[in-house]
Amino acid sequence: MKFLMITALMFAALAFAGENDKSHTPKSFEVSGKKAVFADFSEATYYINYDLNQKIASVKAEIILETTEAGFPVFDSVVAPTSVLFDGTSVTTIEARTPNGETTLRLVNKQTEAGSHTLTVIVPLSALIDFSDAGVKSAFWTSDLDERNFLERYMPANFEFDQVKMNFVVKFLGAKNKQVIYTNGNITELDSNTFKISYPSYYTSSSIFFHTVPQGATTEERFTLKSIDGRDIPAVVYFSKSSWMGSLANLKTKTTAVFHELESDYGPFPHPSITVLQAGAGGMEYCGATMTDFSALGHELFHSYFARGVMPANGNAGWVDEALASWRDDGYQTISTLSGSSAMSSHEYYTRTTDTAAYSFGKRFMGYLDSKLQSKGGLKPFMRYMVDKKVFSPFYVEEFIKEMSTFTGISVEADFKKYTFGSGNMFARDLKSNPAIHRKMTVKEMQNYL
Ligand SMILES: [Zn+2]
């Protein structure tokens, strides 16, 4: 019964996904006399081909999108496309910087009318990929500390605000061994070397976990976790056989403990499955999935509720979930006074990355809010409310603040303004200070953990 209600809620959330996308679409801007207009992607199908004989890979993306203004449509792909069709016509693309230099993106080099369009893009796939005689190791792992490190690192995608119904059709041409795929979508085997993966419509460019290896390259354990809403949630924990450390038993025990801790604090697990890869240093979160070292497992699974459940719509909202996760890591400490300030919420408009002050000052700010909200039971009842009501609706930080004031009946606007919208302060953004515990690896570093 509860499960049915949850399902109904999720469908209700989906019905509003398009509306939420439109209200969070970044505003257009002028670049070299061209008006760059952001689009709402409704569906994207990615044909991912691994050619094991020639040891090359490519992706063809078929995207259906909608623009509400005439101009040059924006998308992103770090890799230069080899072919682009817009509404069936061959076009070129241009890389451009946003007005204040916050980030780089790609424009379809064609003046177009507002409305529904199709975009077909082919790109070579060369990041995080390793061919061998046994098969191919490939992953689409992400980072939010450097710009353009979500799905756009590997294939054409939109900015993080946009929820897109995504499908993968993955082909392993000439594979001698079976390829295993670890992912947080629904896999169907079309034939022995072709797989279709369907992802939920609420996914964004930071949601997908995808990792393929030749069978035998990893050690795994599969089990189910009983949710408080009655679901049996399929879980897999695994690591590479070449990994020098790791115990599947410990990984399963800790995953299970954290799962129950989070369900008791924030309600039923928001995702239909759990995937945990133990690898590397620090960790990165996905919807119901993580690649993480053992010590950061709790932190990363927490992100299935805040980051990949209650989702940030842009870089200036990205600190909220890191501050909350770090606040949990330190045992939800309450602090009554706070000194200092930060600019975590007030970076330039098109900023896509997360301010690392979230892990230190942001964590203390949450402890301060917990103290301020003591008469309402602290911060955790509000967090549970957000999961219940706002899961899978990407938010701006201004909306998060408004929700908190409304839910608690205590005005917190001035606190957020003072502590997170500051400038020129001791907790200014410093992307070089990659925090040790929740350290996020670069794509180059991740290559070692395929
Ligand atoms: Zn984190």
PDB file of all heavy atoms in Angstrom, residues 285 299-300 303 322 325 359 438 440, ligand 1:
ATOM      1  N   GLU A 285      28.700  10.496  -6.053  1.00  0.00           N
ATOM      2  CA  GLU A 285      27.344  10.003  -5.897  1.00  0.00           C
ATOM      3  C   GLU A 285      26.558  10.014  -7.208  1.00  0.00           C
ATOM      4  O   GLU A 285      26.781  10.871  -8.047  1.00  0.00           O
ATOM      5  CB  GLU A 285      26.603  10.859  -4.866  1.00  0.00           C
ATOM      6  CG  GLU A 285      26.351  12.307  -5.292  1.00  0.00           C
ATOM      7  CD  GLU A 285      27.497  13.266  -4.977  1.00  0.00           C
ATOM      8  OE1 GLU A 285      28.589  12.800  -4.609  1.00  0.00           O
ATOM      9  OE2 GLU A 285      27.287  14.478  -5.107  1.00  0.00           O
ATOM     10  N   HIS A 299      28.545   8.775   3.521  1.00  0.00           N
ATOM     11  CA  HIS A 299      28.409  10.099   2.919  1.00  0.00           C
ATOM     12  C   HIS A 299      27.798   9.992   1.516  1.00  0.00           C
ATOM     13  O   HIS A 299      26.861  10.722   1.180  1.00  0.00           O
ATOM     14  CB  HIS A 299      29.796  10.749   2.863  1.00  0.00           C
ATOM     15  CG  HIS A 299      29.844  12.078   2.189  1.00  0.00           C
ATOM     16  ND1 HIS A 299      29.904  13.266   2.871  1.00  0.00           N
ATOM     17  CD2 HIS A 299      29.843  12.397   0.875  1.00  0.00           C
ATOM     18  CE1 HIS A 299      29.946  14.262   2.011  1.00  0.00           C
ATOM     19  NE2 HIS A 299      29.905  13.764   0.792  1.00  0.00           N
ATOM     20  N   GLU A 300      28.324   9.080   0.725  1.00  0.00           N
ATOM     21  CA  GLU A 300      27.876   8.973  -0.669  1.00  0.00           C
ATOM     22  C   GLU A 300      26.449   8.432  -0.778  1.00  0.00           C
ATOM     23  O   GLU A 300      25.677   8.873  -1.622  1.00  0.00           O
ATOM     24  CB  GLU A 300      28.846   8.115  -1.487  1.00  0.00           C
ATOM     25  CG  GLU A 300      30.293   8.619  -1.502  1.00  0.00           C
ATOM     26  CD  GLU A 300      30.455  10.063  -1.958  1.00  0.00           C
ATOM     27  OE1 GLU A 300      29.566  10.582  -2.651  1.00  0.00           O
ATOM     28  OE2 GLU A 300      31.477  10.680  -1.588  1.00  0.00           O
ATOM     29  N   HIS A 303      23.851  10.935  -0.223  1.00  0.00           N
ATOM     30  CA  HIS A 303      23.575  11.738  -1.425  1.00  0.00           C
ATOM     31  C   HIS A 303      22.469  11.156  -2.299  1.00  0.00           C
ATOM     32  O   HIS A 303      21.963  11.833  -3.182  1.00  0.00           O
ATOM     33  CB  HIS A 303      24.843  11.874  -2.257  1.00  0.00           C
ATOM     34  CG  HIS A 303      25.785  12.935  -1.777  1.00  0.00           C
ATOM     35  ND1 HIS A 303      25.379  14.207  -1.451  1.00  0.00           N
ATOM     36  CD2 HIS A 303      27.135  12.916  -1.615  1.00  0.00           C
ATOM     37  CE1 HIS A 303      26.444  14.933  -1.098  1.00  0.00           C
ATOM     38  NE2 HIS A 303      27.518  14.173  -1.176  1.00  0.00           N
ATOM     39  N   GLU A 322      26.213  18.926  -0.094  1.00  0.00           N
ATOM     40  CA  GLU A 322      27.532  18.610   0.482  1.00  0.00           C
ATOM     41  C   GLU A 322      27.606  19.058   1.938  1.00  0.00           C
ATOM     42  O   GLU A 322      28.189  18.379   2.780  1.00  0.00           O
ATOM     43  CB  GLU A 322      28.660  19.259  -0.329  1.00  0.00           C
ATOM     44  CG  GLU A 322      28.857  18.666  -1.719  1.00  0.00           C
ATOM     45  CD  GLU A 322      29.163  17.166  -1.733  1.00  0.00           C
ATOM     46  OE1 GLU A 322      29.338  16.563  -0.649  1.00  0.00           O
ATOM     47  OE2 GLU A 322      29.210  16.596  -2.825  1.00  0.00           O
ATOM     48  N   ALA A 325      25.484  16.506   3.883  1.00  0.00           N
ATOM     49  CA  ALA A 325      26.171  15.208   3.993  1.00  0.00           C
ATOM     50  C   ALA A 325      27.318  15.293   4.999  1.00  0.00           C
ATOM     51  O   ALA A 325      27.524  14.383   5.808  1.00  0.00           O
ATOM     52  CB  ALA A 325      26.681  14.774   2.622  1.00  0.00           C
ATOM     53  N   TYR A 359      31.950  21.776   2.533  1.00  0.00           N
ATOM     54  CA  TYR A 359      32.392  20.682   3.410  1.00  0.00           C
ATOM     55  C   TYR A 359      32.810  21.156   4.800  1.00  0.00           C
ATOM     56  O   TYR A 359      32.834  20.364   5.733  1.00  0.00           O
ATOM     57  CB  TYR A 359      33.585  19.953   2.782  1.00  0.00           C
ATOM     58  CG  TYR A 359      33.283  19.336   1.438  1.00  0.00           C
ATOM     59  CD1 TYR A 359      33.698  19.955   0.264  1.00  0.00           C
ATOM     60  CD2 TYR A 359      32.596  18.129   1.346  1.00  0.00           C
ATOM     61  CE1 TYR A 359      33.433  19.380  -0.977  1.00  0.00           C
ATOM     62  CE2 TYR A 359      32.333  17.555   0.121  1.00  0.00           C
ATOM     63  CZ  TYR A 359      32.753  18.190  -1.042  1.00  0.00           C
ATOM     64  OH  TYR A 359      32.497  17.627  -2.257  1.00  0.00           O
ATOM     65  N   HIS A 438      36.037  13.660   1.364  1.00  0.00           N
ATOM     66  CA  HIS A 438      35.065  13.514   0.283  1.00  0.00           C
ATOM     67  C   HIS A 438      35.718  13.902  -1.029  1.00  0.00           C
ATOM     68  O   HIS A 438      35.093  14.420  -1.932  1.00  0.00           O
ATOM     69  CB  HIS A 438      33.834  14.367   0.546  1.00  0.00           C
ATOM     70  CG  HIS A 438      33.467  14.341   1.970  1.00  0.00           C
ATOM     71  ND1 HIS A 438      33.161  13.162   2.593  1.00  0.00           N
ATOM     72  CD2 HIS A 438      33.423  15.299   2.904  1.00  0.00           C
ATOM     73  CE1 HIS A 438      32.933  13.425   3.867  1.00  0.00           C
ATOM     74  NE2 HIS A 438      33.096  14.698   4.080  1.00  0.00           N
ATOM     75  N   LYS A 440      37.086  14.207  -4.533  1.00  0.00           N
ATOM     76  CA  LYS A 440      36.553  13.724  -5.802  1.00  0.00           C
ATOM     77  C   LYS A 440      37.681  13.636  -6.801  1.00  0.00           C
ATOM     78  O   LYS A 440      38.490  14.556  -6.917  1.00  0.00           O
ATOM     79  CB  LYS A 440      35.424  14.632  -6.278  1.00  0.00           C
ATOM     80  CG  LYS A 440      34.205  14.413  -5.411  1.00  0.00           C
ATOM     81  CD  LYS A 440      33.044  15.303  -5.708  1.00  0.00           C
ATOM     82  CE  LYS A 440      31.892  14.956  -4.771  1.00  0.00           C
ATOM     83  NZ  LYS A 440      30.746  15.821  -4.931  1.00  0.00           N
TER      84      LYS A 440
HETATM   85 ZN    ZN B   1      29.561  14.630  -1.018  1.00  0.00          ZN
END
